[in-house]
Amino acid sequence: MIKLSVSGLRGIVGKGLTHKEVLNYSLAYGLIHEGGKLAVGMDTRESGFALKSLVKGALMLCGSDVYDFGIIPTPAFLRMIKVLNLSGGIIITASHNPPQWNALKFAFGDRLSRNSEVEKVKDNLGKEPKYTAFGKEYRVEALNIYLTNFPKFDLSGLKVILDFQNGATSGWVDRVFEYLGAEIFTIRGSGKLPEDPEPKREKFAVMDELLREGYADVGFGFDPDGDRVICGLKGLGMLSEEQTTALALYSAAKTFNIPKKAVLNLSTSILSERVLADLGYEVLRWKVGEPNIIEYMENIGARLGGEGNGGLIYYDFSKGRDGILASVLIGKLVKEGDIPDLVLRNPYDMVKLKFSGKIEDILERLKGLVDGWDFVGIDGYYFRNGNNWVHIRPSNTEPVVRVIVEGDEWFVKNALKILQ
């Protein structure tokens, strides 16, 4: 089984995502950019090198020159497309999915594909290249170019722990922090990905203990492709991904001179909304998925956005979730001693659940609890009453229904009784 969405073409390698699918979809994408300059990169999955060879061959058959960035985090991949003025590209990564999965993420310019562009790829399936011109391959040492185009902050004296989960951020984020003057200590920099590399608090027990014991000022854990991050603080240990997002948004809003509008997805905590509102921001909600958020940001003139899974979006730097920039911005807050008390207290309870059943069954169970609440139907079913809300939607990346509940303790407890 394979799944095609704005999150790319993904599936288990050899069981759905086969060489045929990789070639067919790469050709279909390549036909859109015939004769263009396209980037290719990958995370650290064992299947990545083989799939990358197929992708590069398909794009060159369509007449495009290929710029191979090697192992590179997704936000750096998008940033490099912008810096080098390329037409787009394909990065081979399944983000937080287990290591037996992989995916092709399609970039159009320096952002990932939108629904309309996914449809263009689908429309080209089965079409043949012209075979009248063939592209060339160029190997690009991207890291030094990336560093010279990174915001210049002074992080000297800051002690940082980095846990890469053996993903693509290793060799990238550590170099960024060193470049900015920080002292770093790294964990899980090479080897196989863990079976479940989604960046959640419980996955970073070693870093949590080191932070609680005061061995560093701040710590960061990344998913395999670096578009998401989770942080921890000295004396406190690991925070949640929602607290991480709120801190990153707060720092970006205070650091960059941008319009006071921000877009969050419907599944993001009230915490991020409150932090931005306290800084005078108008906060709007939109569909889950960074391409959806970015499109809406463009429509309303916002430069700041995010998703509560640890995904900061600062449009003027990288048109996608950026765990690298988020970690640096949070490091800047820590050095300046400017951590908002609201984020540390986090007065809201949140529970994230997955179900394999029908979405209608879940709605029926919650019907009495959310009757009469405000409703938004742009992305599944979103019900809200003040600070209490529930969001029910099919996942973009897995064959499951996601249900997120947040709010006052009594509401979350009642919702869980109904759902479990």
Side-chain angles (χ1 to χ4, degrees):
M1 177 181 176
I2 56 172
K3 186 175 181 67
L4 178 66
S5 70
V6 293
S7 298
L9 175 79
R10 68 179 66 204
I12 297 174
V13 178
K15 297 180 180 178
L17 190 67
T18 67
H19 67 285
K20 293 179 181 178
E21 301 296 341
V22 171
L23 278 171
N24 288 340
Y25 279 88
S26 297
L27 287 168
Y29 171 84
L31 289 171
I32 298 172
H33 298 278
E34 287 179 304
K37 296 179 178 180
L38 299 174
V40 173
M42 58 178 278
D43 68 16
T44 56
R45 293 164 201 271
E46 291 184 332
S47 61
F49 288 104
L51 298 188
K52 187 173 71 163
S53 295
L54 295 173
V55 169
K56 289 194 294 186
L59 298 181
M60 287 188 284
L61 282 175
C62 293
S64 289
D65 288 339
V66 170
Y67 293 74
D68 187 348
F69 295 151
I71 293 174
I72 185 171
T74 295
F77 179 79
L78 297 176
R79 176 66 174 165
M80 287 298 300
I81 290 174
K82 179 177 182 177
V83 170
L84 297 180
N85 195 29
L86 305 182
S87 306
I90 296 176
I91 185 165
I92 300 121
T93 173
S95 298
H96 63 277
N97 288 130
Q100 63 268 31
W101 288 66
N102 218 328
L104 309 184
K105 289 186 179 182
F106 305 108
F108 286 76
D110 58 334
R111 58 165 177 75
L112 297 178
S113 57
R114 296 172 178 167
N115 282 316
S116 59
E117 291 156 344
V118 170
E119 291 303 314
K120 287 181 182 178
V121 173
K122 287 168 63 176
D123 289 344
N124 277 343
L125 289 173
K127 294 181 181 178
E128 288 284 326
K130 295 175 183 175
Y131 298 114
T132 55
F134 304 97
K136 297 179 181 178
E137 177 185 358
Y138 299 93
R139 304 274 178 136
V140 181
E141 296 297 328
L143 178 59
N144 288 334
I145 302 171
Y146 179 78
L147 288 174
T148 57
N149 286 275
F150 199 88
K152 304 301 187 291
F153 302 126
D154 179 11
L155 299 185
S156 58
L158 188 71
K159 294 183 178 180
V160 184
I161 303 173
L162 303 171
D163 187 335
F164 307 115
Q165 294 200 95
N166 301 329
T169 53
S170 179
W172 283 82
V173 182
D174 43 336
R175 287 290 304 278
V176 170
F177 273 99
E178 288 174 337
Y179 181 71
L180 299 175
E183 180 183 335
I184 62 162
F185 175 72
T186 62
I187 302 172
R188 290 190 287 181
S190 62
K192 292 185 177 181
L193 294 180
E195 188 55 37
D196 181 8
E198 188 167 3
K200 293 185 176 181
R201 180 162 35 192
E202 60 270 22
K203 308 291 180 60
F204 301 98
V206 173
M207 183 159 57
D208 181 73
E209 184 176 349
L210 291 171
L211 288 167
R212 289 179 185 275
E213 293 179 359
Y215 285 101
D217 301 309
V218 64
F220 300 100
F222 299 87
D223 72 341
D225 78 323
D227 62 355
R228 292 167 55 181
V229 66
I230 186 169
C231 79
L233 299 175
K234 185 176 184 178
L236 295 176
M238 298 304 294
L239 305 181
S240 71
E241 55 263 50
E242 296 290 346
Q243 289 170 296
T244 300
T245 302
L247 287 177
L249 287 165
Y250 174 80
S251 185
K254 295 195 74 175
T255 299
F256 303 115
N257 183 21
I258 50 180
K260 290 191 176 294
K261 285 183 181 180
V263 180
L264 305 176
N265 75 23
L266 290 168
S267 289
T268 297
S269 172
I270 299 288
L271 191 62
S272 289
E273 184 180 304
R274 280 275 309 276
V275 162
L276 289 171
D278 288 349
L279 293 175
Y281 273 69
E282 177 188 6
V283 181
L284 297 101
R285 298 280 183 159
W286 198 243
K287 302 174 186 177
V288 172
E290 65 190 85
N292 297 323
I293 297 291
I294 289 165
E295 185 172 15
Y296 193 54
M297 287 169 64
E298 290 175 345
N299 290 341
I300 67 168
R303 319 306 283 182
L304 188 60
E307 301 195 290
N309 51 21
L312 168 76
I313 300 170
Y314 173 47
Y315 186 89
D316 293 340
F317 183 74
S318 175
K319 297 186 182 74
R321 294 180 307 201
D322 195 331
I324 304 175
L325 182 62
S327 63
V328 169
L329 287 170
I330 294 171
K332 180 174 177 287
L333 280 186
V334 172
K335 182 174 179 182
E336 295 169 351
D338 188 20
I339 303 294
D341 178 65
L342 173 66
V343 176
L344 297 182
R345 287 190 293 110
N346 190 16
Y348 310 109
D349 288 346
M350 175 182 273
V351 178
K352 300 181 180 182
L353 304 169
K354 296 180 185 179
F355 294 92
S356 55
K358 294 181 180 178
I359 201 167
E360 293 78 13
D361 295 338
I362 299 167
L363 283 169
E364 187 62 32
R365 287 151 71 181
L366 287 170
K367 194 172 173 183
L369 187 64
V370 299
D371 187 43
W373 286 21
D374 293 336
F375 169 69
V376 178
I378 58 173
D379 184 11
Y381 302 84
Y382 179 84
F383 301 93
R384 181 166 174 175
N385 182 19
N387 290 329
N388 297 321
W389 59 271
V390 56
H391 190 200
I392 309 161
R393 55 177 288 277
S395 170
N396 284 336
T397 58
E398 300 174 72
V400 297
V401 175
R402 297 187 184 274
V403 179
I404 301 181
V405 179
E406 185 184 44
D408 302 328
E409 184 180 355
W410 67 267
F411 165 67
V412 174
K413 282 184 177 178
N414 285 339
L416 286 178
K417 284 180 185 176
I418 293 168
L419 288 167
Q420 292 178 333

